[in-house]
Amino acid sequence: MATRSKSKASRAGAAAGRKRRAGQLTPGKTRRGLEAAEVAIALDDPSVAELAILVRDAGGAPIGAYREPLGARSMLLASLPLGAVQPTPFQRDLSPTHAKRLATKIDETAAFLDPIIVVRGEDGRLWTPNGRHRLAAAKVLGLKQITALISPDESLAYRILALNTEKAHNLRDRSLEVIRMARNLAKSRGSERENTFSAEFESAELLTLGIVYERSPRFAGGAYGAFLKKVDRFSDRTLAASVRQREDYAARLTEIDARVKTIIGALQARGFKSPYLRNYVVARINPVRFHKAKKGDTSPPMPLAQALTRMAAAARGFNIGSVSNSDLAWVAVGAGSGE
């Protein structure tokens, strides 16, 4: 009996140990990156010498240079006049409230510690893809200079947006950022296939939603997220052609939403006051709501164009009389479990 008790205790201890270890991250099996001696480089190194000249011409001062330890890209640490740096033209809109709050917190700390990332953009201008609010906060504080990490790799401006943690993205911000990026890339690399930019754009539906948000800033994109994730994919057409095609998709989605608003109005007139009316209606007209993808299957259940056609037809044929309070209650439960 004692042996059995010890066995149970041992198993319980092992289970507890596994539970404690569950929150730990597993280190990579192979060591990557540079050794310490490979990181530091001189300011006259050919990989950053031109950038150093650009900084001095802009009224700034190079401070040091190094190779970042993962990809070995050369980076220049410099001090730059605030007027020499501009946000990328495809970045999300500035939030004055956030910039003022950030300025207050920085002032309380009495130290501007986080360098902004800067790349050389079009016509040799200096762009920051991740420092818009810090740059604005620095202007609020009246700073003369701002510290920057400058990369000679111009394409970094498109890839780094996914790492932006300065101000949390909402769906509208991210979608507008992605479509602006796509339009900017289409000017110089429009003949390349859209799917080659999947890392920069993050998710295909953001391109479609971005166009909708450009036209309707108050669009409730979150209600259509589940639908678009199942059917929207990056195209193998050229980026320029794909953006034009997405203009059509966005127009059709806007028309569907206009019909959804009409349905919601009719339901409210019948006494339905649930905050989940939109989610309920969109779920009802979603032609792929019951589709469950098999593990490893990334293909859509149907093309986006076909899905929009079916969704529009379902919206036109929506039976308001079939809606019950119990249906809305189930939607509320689903929304709550997803939060």
Side-chain angles (χ1 to χ4, degrees):
M1 194 68 171
T3 303
R4 188 176 300 173
S5 298
K6 287 182 180 179
S7 178
K8 287 183 179 179
S10 177
R11 287 197 297 272
R18 286 195 297 272
K19 193 170 184 179
R20 285 194 298 271
R21 291 193 295 271
Q24 298 178 356
L25 296 175
T26 304
K29 294 181 180 179
T30 57
R31 304 299 296 275
R32 302 168 60 192
L34 304 179
E35 299 292 343
E38 300 174 296
V39 173
I41 56 176
L43 283 173
D44 59 358
D45 187 273
S47 62
V48 295
E50 189 176 341
L51 280 182
I53 294 172
L54 183 63
V55 166
R56 293 189 184 97
D57 289 345
I63 298 171
Y66 69 99
R67 294 186 182 92
E68 53 87 11
L70 178 60
R73 293 182 182 85
S74 295
M75 302 289 291
L76 179 70
L77 177 65
S79 178
L80 288 169
L82 265 65
V85 187
Q86 299 296 325
T88 54
F90 40 82
Q91 211 167 140
R92 61 187 165 181
D93 297 331
L94 178 74
S95 167
T97 301
H98 177 70
K100 291 175 183 176
R101 187 184 301 119
L102 186 60
T104 299
K105 294 301 179 183
I106 292 171
D107 206 19
E108 290 174 358
T109 308
F112 205 114
L113 298 175
D114 296 330
I116 60 174
I117 305 298
V118 171
V119 299
R120 184 168 45 190
E122 295 174 359
D123 302 325
R125 290 175 292 177
L126 294 172
W127 282 353
T128 175
N130 83 327
R132 181 166 206 158
H133 287 88
R134 274 172 292 164
L135 190 63
K139 291 178 180 178
V140 170
L141 291 170
L143 292 184
K144 299 176 182 178
Q145 298 271 322
I146 193 167
T147 309
L149 290 175
I150 310 176
S151 170
D153 181 4
E154 297 177 19
S155 66
L156 190 64
Y158 299 96
R159 298 195 301 273
I160 201 172
L161 287 170
L163 302 176
N164 193 336
T165 57
E166 184 177 276
K167 175 178 179 285
H169 281 76
N170 56 37
L171 182 61
R172 177 181 174 276
D173 285 341
R174 183 60 183 143
S175 300
L176 285 171
E177 204 169 63
V178 166
I179 191 58
R180 290 169 183 170
M181 196 190 316
R183 294 192 190 285
N184 192 272
L185 281 167
K187 295 175 184 177
S188 57
R189 301 170 63 185
S191 60
E192 297 180 41
R193 297 178 187 273
E194 182 189 76
N195 54 19
T196 63
F197 299 100
S198 59
E200 288 85 348
F201 298 156
E202 186 180 335
S203 189
E205 72 271 8
L206 295 177
L207 290 162
T208 304
L209 285 172
I211 298 173
V212 179
Y213 278 120
E214 285 179 330
R215 302 171 178 178
S216 306
R218 297 175 64 85
F219 177 70
Y224 297 88
F227 161 70
L228 288 173
K229 280 184 180 297
K230 287 187 176 182
V231 296
D232 204 346
R233 297 291 184 273
F234 289 116
S235 171
D236 61 359
R237 303 179 69 180
T238 66
L239 180 59
S242 184
V243 169
R244 289 194 297 270
Q245 185 180 54
R246 288 184 182 279
E247 295 277 358
D248 176 65
Y249 293 156
R252 295 172 65 183
L253 191 59
T254 302
E255 290 174 3
I256 290 169
D257 190 57
R259 177 59 186 166
V260 167
K261 290 177 182 176
T262 301
I263 296 170
I264 291 172
L267 289 171
Q268 289 173 335
R270 292 170 66 93
F272 293 100
K273 303 299 181 184
S274 170
Y276 302 104
L277 279 175
R278 182 182 298 276
N279 298 67
Y280 170 74
V281 173
V282 173
R284 278 275 301 268
I285 64 175
N286 181 354
V288 294
R289 64 186 182 278
F290 298 121
H291 177 266
K292 292 188 180 298
K294 296 179 181 178
K295 188 175 181 180
D297 184 11
T298 60
S299 58
M302 65 179 70
L304 177 55
Q306 180 185 350
L308 289 169
T309 298
R310 293 182 61 177
M311 190 177 225
R316 289 192 298 269
F318 192 93
N319 182 5
I320 295 173
S322 66
V323 180
S324 67
N325 281 311
S326 60
D327 293 334
L328 293 173
W330 278 112
V331 174
V333 170
S337 65
E339 291 172 353

